[in-house]
Amino acid sequence: MNGTAGDFYDEARRGTWWSELTQTKDAVRTEAAKAAFKKGEWNQYRIVVKGDHYQSFVNGVKAADFKQPNDPEGHIGFQVHGIKKGTGPFSVRWKNVKIREL
């Protein structure tokens, strides 16, 4: 990763990171947050959404924290971006996924 692990990307509508849209980039996207992802190792993600308040943590380090009042409902998805044509094959795995209502 290039320091974006745990940030939220608004792909379908705006094509930009939520830390940019909500002007929280400098407050949350610290060097510690950018370095939290460990390439080639298992990483722990925690995503908390309460109403319009979104937070994410990568290996216990806060990586995103913003409010987004315009999306009252949506989907949970697991997705991988940025695999260039002709590279790979790659293996992506998830384990111990837990979803609970707050």
Side-chain angles (χ1 to χ4, degrees):
M1 298 294 292
N2 61 0
T4 58
D7 203 351
F8 292 77
Y9 192 72
D10 191 339
E11 180 176 350
R13 296 178 295 186
R14 296 177 186 94
T16 192
W17 296 99
W18 272 102
S19 60
E20 297 281 344
L21 288 171
T22 59
Q23 301 175 350
T24 59
K25 182 179 178 186
D26 295 331
V28 180
R29 299 304 302 160
T30 63
E31 291 306 314
K34 293 175 187 176
F37 179 84
K38 304 300 179 199
K39 186 175 181 178
E41 299 178 27
W42 284 107
N43 290 273
Q44 181 181 25
Y45 285 78
R46 181 172 179 234
I47 298 170
V48 179
V49 180
K50 293 180 183 176
D52 66 353
H53 188 192
Y54 293 68
Q55 294 178 303
S56 72
F57 302 82
V58 178
N59 297 322
V61 178
K62 187 183 285 187
D65 189 344
F66 63 91
K67 290 193 175 188
Q68 185 357 33
N70 299 320
D71 290 323
E73 60 184 41
H75 301 281
I76 296 171
F78 297 89
Q79 190 170 345
V80 177
H81 293 277
I83 298 175
K84 294 180 182 170
K85 185 176 182 178
T87 63
F90 293 101
S91 175
V92 178
R93 296 171 289 182
W94 291 269
K95 69 177 185 175
N96 300 328
V97 175
K98 299 173 186 172
I99 299 173
R100 69 178 172 150
E101 190 170 343
L102 300 175

